[in-house]
Amino acid sequence: SCSTAIAIGINRVMITADFCLFDNQFHPLPSAIAQAYLRGFFSNLGGVGLLPAITAIYTVDEPDVNGFSDVNMVAANTLLRSVMNEYSLQGKPLVTTYGVEGTPGLRSFDWAGFDNYGTPIFTIGEYNGFVSKLSATQRVVIVPGGGSPWKDNPTPFNAKAQADLRIALIMPFIWQDGSTQGIRSNG
């Protein structure tokens, strides 16, 4: 919970807003409903003192895999930014990672990456190919695998982040346990 996070000293978080913007089939919610959900979410976070800790917002995971078009991804981020401005969250980066190097809505994100862990992304051109699609102002997210079967050594990711100032975030794939093992039981 938020109060637990604050109590143990967590003072920076990246939240996700997908449940405020899309239904469980990843269809965009009507604008008025999405705005109401976002306002409720941000108000609740403000009520427990967590708004100042928000450093980034993860709009949605893998928009390419989840069937988003460029138009609806840009519209979702535009709506999200408008509500963020009501809560002193303007300028906080919107973040995503793509699953198969797709790019719906790419220009509407501040930080973007692709979670093609388990491959030598830095040596076979995948990383450079993806970064070439970004504008000069966009930052990069890299994703080492953390659970089976995608257990990556984080050292090359850390070395790349130290050498490439465009990398804003190393975001390990730490999907929770469920139908497949996550890092909790298979890290």
Side-chain angles (χ1 to χ4, degrees):
S1 76
C2 293
S3 57
T4 302
I6 293 167
I8 63 172
I10 293 174
N11 58 16
R12 297 286 178 257
V13 295
M14 179 170 59
I15 61 170
T16 186
D18 59 353
F19 61 94
C20 295
L21 296 164
F22 313 106
D23 67 18
N24 59 3
Q25 300 296 312
F26 292 107
H27 299 116
L29 293 171
S31 180
I33 292 173
Q35 287 173 345
Y37 285 170
L38 286 166
R39 287 180 181 122
F41 182 44
F42 292 148
S43 292
N44 286 339
L45 292 173
V48 295
L50 202 56
L51 276 181
I54 296 171
T55 58
I57 298 177
Y58 197 80
T59 304
V60 67
D61 191 44
E62 298 180 338
D64 52 341
V65 173
N66 289 307
F68 289 96
S69 70
D70 190 69
V71 170
N72 62 20
M73 196 68 259
V74 170
N77 280 339
T78 299
L79 182 128
L80 176 54
R81 284 184 203 282
S82 72
V83 177
M84 288 168 59
N85 290 339
E86 299 172 22
Y87 291 87
S88 300
L89 294 171
Q90 60 271 17
K92 302 294 182 183
L94 298 185
V95 182
T96 196
T97 56
Y98 293 91
V100 290
E101 298 182 59
T103 57
L106 181 63
R107 72 182 183 279
S108 68
F109 289 98
D110 302 293
W111 300 354
F114 63 103
D115 51 1
N116 196 2
Y117 31 77
T119 64
I121 63 168
F122 305 123
T123 59
I124 63 172
E126 283 184 285
Y127 175 81
N128 290 338
F130 182 81
V131 170
S132 72
K133 298 174 187 177
L134 301 176
S135 75
T137 60
Q138 288 177 298
R139 305 280 306 275
V140 182
V141 176
I142 53 177
V143 185
S148 183
W150 306 285
K151 293 181 181 181
D152 287 329
N153 177 347
T155 304
F157 292 85
N158 186 48
K160 184 68 172 176
Q162 298 303 314
D164 186 341
L165 297 179
R166 290 195 63 190
I167 296 174
L169 175 64
I170 301 172
M171 187 173 70
F173 179 76
I174 54 172
W175 196 254
Q176 71 274 5
D177 289 356
S179 60
T180 59
Q181 287 184 318
I183 196 159
R184 186 177 350 159
S185 63
N186 191 20

